Amino acid sequence: MLVEEIMSEPLVTINSNDRIEEALELLNKHKIRHIPVVSENEQVVGILSDRDIRDAAPSILEENQNRQILQHEVSSIMTTPVITVHPLDFIEDIATIFYEHEIACVPVTKNNQLVGIVTEKDLLYRLIQLTGIHEQSSQIEVKVPNKVGVLPNVTKIISDRNTNISSVFIYPYQDSYHEKIIVLRIQTMNPMPLIDELKQHGYEVIWPNIPGLSK
């Protein structure tokens, strides 16, 4: 999935020489947490968050306390330089950037022009959709050897029972190169017959582990 499919647009932006008070008003008015700071030609020069304002003026909500900070220019507290991404980047790359740089949003640029923004919330919502958890379904986790042909074999068992698969995820079993966990979300509320059949074919179902079913 590409960044352009999940990014937010149009955008609320602010200039670096605008006052912090204006930025705070925009944050509150639009119920957002981040504002890209742009130049006159819409190039990203910084990013401003509600946290930046709180850190600069920890008593901002107290009457007559630290009010002078609000008259300073946005450039005095904005974060710069800014990590940006392209609309055709993959959302997996965004997740890696969020994790490695411990940030909560990235502006999206094309030809050095701001075209969108992606936040942690945008990414998390789309990942939830990708798992299929928003649909009526059941989750099965199967431990399998890491070799060619295993995944189609498992999915064939499911398709032979006329059961639709909402999503498939695969990850290493306890960091092992030799075994994998296949996580399947299937469109049935009664996975018991399917779990039994997977076990009869020699697969180890580790979730749900139903006592009494075939091993």
Side-chain angles (χ1 to χ4, degrees):
M1 183 171 290
L2 301 177
V3 167
E4 65 182 4
E5 299 178 61
I6 70 169
M7 69 183 189
S8 299
E9 54 178 334
L11 293 173
V12 177
T13 62
I14 198 166
N15 294 325
S16 60
N17 57 355
D18 288 337
R19 291 178 292 115
I20 297 174
E21 184 175 42
E22 297 175 63
L24 182 60
E25 289 173 355
L26 288 173
L27 289 171
N28 292 333
K29 177 182 177 181
H30 296 280
K31 295 180 174 58
I32 55 178
R33 296 177 53 199
H34 305 88
I35 301 180
V37 184
V38 298
S39 61
E40 293 181 357
N41 57 357
E42 293 299 310
Q43 292 186 342
V44 180
V45 297
I47 192 90
L48 185 68
S49 70
D50 55 352
R51 182 175 179 177
D52 293 327
I53 297 176
R54 289 197 306 270
D55 289 347
S59 302
I60 197 76
L61 299 180
E62 296 182 19
E63 187 175 1
N64 299 323
Q65 293 292 318
N66 294 326
R67 301 300 297 180
Q68 68 276 10
I69 191 68
L70 296 180
Q71 304 309 313
H72 293 179
E73 292 186 352
V74 166
S75 60
S76 65
I77 64 170
M78 70 181 186
T79 299
T80 187
V82 182
I83 298 172
T84 63
V85 297
H86 190 273
L88 299 182
D89 287 341
F90 292 104
I91 64 171
E92 298 94 320
D93 299 328
I94 305 295
T96 301
I97 290 172
F98 284 163
Y99 176 76
E100 292 182 347
H101 296 276
E102 298 182 352
I103 57 178
C105 79
V106 286
V108 184
T109 60
K110 184 177 182 181
N111 298 325
N112 292 323
Q113 303 292 305
L114 180 68
V115 295
I117 191 170
V118 176
T119 68
E120 281 183 322
K121 185 176 180 179
D122 296 328
L123 182 62
L124 183 59
Y125 174 71
R126 191 50 59 98
L127 289 176
I128 289 173
Q129 286 186 313
L130 288 176
T131 65
I133 198 171
H134 59 291
E135 303 174 349
Q136 284 193 337
S137 57
S138 301
Q139 181 168 306
I140 296 176
E141 298 185 14
V142 186
K143 185 169 74 171
V144 299
N146 182 21
K147 63 181 184 181
V148 175
V150 171
L151 180 59
N153 289 341
V154 171
T155 56
K156 184 178 186 303
I157 294 172
I158 298 172
S159 65
D160 286 347
R161 280 190 164 269
N162 295 318
T163 303
N164 194 32
I165 299 174
S166 298
S167 66
V168 179
F169 288 87
I170 302 175
Y171 64 91
Y173 175 68
Q174 297 181 348
D175 297 322
S176 169
Y177 175 78
H178 302 288
E179 294 178 302
K180 297 282 189 178
I181 301 296
I182 301 177
V183 182
L184 302 130
R185 186 161 287 278
I186 55 176
Q187 292 182 357
T188 177
M189 299 307 293
N190 180 21
M192 306 308 180
L194 183 54
I195 291 171
D196 191 27
E197 186 162 347
L198 284 167
K199 290 185 175 182
Q200 289 176 10
H201 279 77
Y203 292 107
E204 181 180 351
V205 178
I206 63 173
W207 179 263
N209 188 5
I210 309 297
L213 290 181
S214 302
K215 297 185 178 180

